[in-house]
Amino acid sequence: MDFGVVLQTNPPASRTVQLSQLAEAHGFSHVWTFDSHLLWEEPYVVHSAILNATKRITVGPFVTNPATRDWTVTASVFATLNEMYGNRTICGIGRGDSAVRVTNGKPVSMSELRESIHVIRELANSRPVEYKGATLQFPWSRGSELDVWVAAYGPLALKLTGEVGDGFILQLADLDIASWMIKVVKDAAAAAGRDPDSIAFCVAAPMYIGEDRQHMRDQCRWFGGMVGNHVADIVAKYGTSGEVPQALTDYIAGRTGYDYNSHGRAANDHVDFVPDEIVDRFCLLGTAEEHIAKLEALREIGVTQFAGYLQHDNKEETMRVYGERVIPALTEHITAKR
C-alpha cells in the first residue's frame, strides 16, 4: 500500500511546500492538493514549488475537473512539470465540485468527463489525440508519463472509472461502502475487457493520530459535510434505496445547505448534521494501532493507496507517527505475507 497526504493550498505557499517536504521525509509517496482556484491558491504553481523542493514524491490535484480548466492547458501543465522534474505528476479528476459550484456552475456530464480523461492522458503522455476536429500533440514533449485517477461515488461514475481510469479515488474510508464501490469499478473494468487488477484503488479520508476522541471528531467533522455534497447529488438521482448503499445516504437526511467558503476546514460551522458514527466510519482516528488495523482491513478489500487529509490541528505529529509506526507496519506486514 502506498501513502499520500492531501493538502489545501492556503497561503503562505511555503507552508504547503514545507508540509510536502515533511511528507516525503516520513515515507509518503504522494502529495495531493485541493484544486479550487477561487477558494485557495493556484495549485499548479504550488506543485512546481513542491517538486522543486523534493526528490521523489509524486504530486497532483485532488481533484481537478474538465469544467473550469481547458483540457489541453491541463495536459500541458503535467507534461511541462514532467519535463522539468522527471515524471513525478499524477492527475486526479472528477466531474467538478467546489471549483464549479462557487461560480454557480454544474458538474460536467459523464461523456464530457470521459472525453476529457482521454484528451488529457494522451497529450500528457506525449501522444497525439483527436480533439475538436484537429489532431493535437505537444511537439516539445518527449517521454512524459501521466496516470489519470477518477474520483467517483455514483453508479455511472464508478462504471466510467472501471472503463477508462488508471485509478479510482474514493473520498471516504468506510469499509462496507469502499468494498461495494471497488467491486463496481472492478466489474466495469472486466466487462470492458480490462484487467481489474491494473487499476489503482485510492481511499482518501482525514487521518488524525491522537487520544481525545471527541476533539478528533470535531476536527474532522467537516469531511462528512464535504462527502454529503456528492451524496446529495446521488440521492437526488437514485433515491435513498436501490443502487446506492443505505449507509451512504442515511446521514444526509438532516443536511440543509452548504457554504463552500468553509469547504474542507475544521472550523466549518454548518456540519452539525454529521453524527459521530459517520465521522468514525469515514475517517481514520485514534492511536497508531487503530490506524494500522483499519488500513489493513482496507488493504484486504483491494485498496492500494491511502491518502490522508491533514485539515486539522495535528498535522506534523500525525505525519511523524505515520512515518515511524504506521507506514512501516503496513510495509512489514505485506513483506511478511509474501
Side-chain angles (χ1 to χ4, degrees):
M1 181 182 283
D2 291 332
F3 291 85
V5 297
V6 186
L7 306 174
Q8 286 179 341
T9 54
N10 294 307
S14 58
R15 170 69 167 151
T16 307
V17 174
Q18 179 193 47
L19 289 171
S20 301
Q21 291 175 308
L22 282 174
E24 181 173 73
H26 289 308
F28 291 87
S29 61
H30 289 66
V31 168
W32 303 91
T33 72
F34 285 52
D35 176 10
S36 289
H37 58 287
L38 290 171
L39 297 177
W40 304 288
E41 293 183 319
E42 171 55 41
Y44 294 128
V45 176
V46 181
H47 290 178
S48 185
I50 293 171
L51 289 163
N52 188 59
T54 56
K55 295 181 178 179
R56 60 169 181 79
I57 211 151
T58 297
V59 179
F62 210 82
V63 296
T64 193
N65 72 87
T68 59
R69 297 189 181 276
D70 181 272
W71 309 348
T72 62
V73 175
T74 296
S76 182
V77 167
F78 289 115
T80 300
L81 291 175
N82 283 342
E83 187 279 322
M84 294 172 68
Y85 301 108
N87 288 335
R88 292 168 54 205
T89 65
I90 189 167
C91 179
I93 194 168
R95 294 177 59 212
D97 183 35
S98 59
V100 175
R101 297 183 195 268
V102 294
T103 58
N104 293 321
K106 295 181 179 179
V108 302
S109 67
M110 291 297 170
S111 61
E112 288 177 289
L113 178 59
R114 183 187 297 270
E115 185 183 3
S116 71
I117 291 168
H118 176 67
V119 170
I120 292 169
R121 182 164 49 204
E122 294 307 293
L123 288 174
N125 279 279
S126 302
R127 297 191 291 260
V129 68
E130 296 297 317
Y131 180 58
K132 294 185 177 180
T135 300
L136 305 179
Q137 186 171 12
F138 299 137
W140 46 266
S141 179
R142 299 287 186 275
S144 177
E145 297 177 3
L146 180 77
D147 280 352
V148 180
W149 293 10
V150 186
Y153 287 103
L156 291 178
L158 294 170
K159 181 175 180 290
L160 180 149
T161 302
E163 291 170 348
V164 303
D166 297 309
F168 166 46
I169 293 173
L170 171 59
Q171 296 174 76
L172 57 85
D174 181 273
L175 288 166
D176 293 335
I177 295 170
S179 180
W180 173 77
M181 290 189 174
I182 289 172
K183 182 180 186 303
V184 173
V185 172
K186 286 190 172 184
D187 288 349
R194 303 181 69 201
D195 177 6
D197 293 330
S198 68
I199 300 172
F201 291 93
C202 174
V203 158
M207 57 178 182
Y208 195 122
I209 296 286
E211 297 182 354
D212 185 339
R213 184 71 57 178
Q214 196 57 49
H215 178 74
M216 291 186 291
R217 286 169 175 159
D218 291 341
Q219 284 284 301
C220 298
R221 199 175 305 277
W222 63 267
F223 185 66
M226 185 183 83
V227 172
N229 297 322
H230 301 284
V231 175
D233 287 343
I234 295 170
V235 170
K237 183 176 180 64
Y238 296 99
T240 57
S241 60
E243 291 190 73
V244 182
Q246 191 169 347
L248 187 59
T249 60
D250 283 352
Y251 82 100
I252 68 163
R255 180 181 182 271
T256 58
Y258 193 81
D259 180 2
Y260 276 91
N261 290 307
S262 300
H263 190 59
R265 300 185 187 278
N268 192 318
D269 60 0
H270 52 281
V271 292
D272 292 342
F273 72 92
V274 182
D276 289 348
E277 178 191 2
I278 285 295
V279 180
D280 291 343
R281 290 181 64 170
F282 283 14
C283 304
L284 272 74
L285 312 176
T287 64
E289 289 72 25
E290 290 175 294
H291 284 245
I292 291 167
K294 189 162 186 177
L295 288 165
E296 287 181 336
L298 287 167
R299 183 185 56 79
E300 287 297 323
I301 63 172
V303 174
T304 60
Q305 181 178 137
F306 172 69
Y309 285 91
L310 286 174
Q311 284 67 55
H312 55 63
D313 61 4
N314 199 32
K315 298 176 179 65
E316 285 87 350
E317 177 65 7
T318 294
M319 283 197 288
R320 182 190 69 80
V321 175
Y322 260 72
E324 292 183 2
R325 299 178 63 184
V326 178
I327 295 175
L330 268 294
T331 304
E332 291 165 6
H333 181 82
I334 293 171
T335 302
K337 287 191 71 173
R338 288 175 180 169

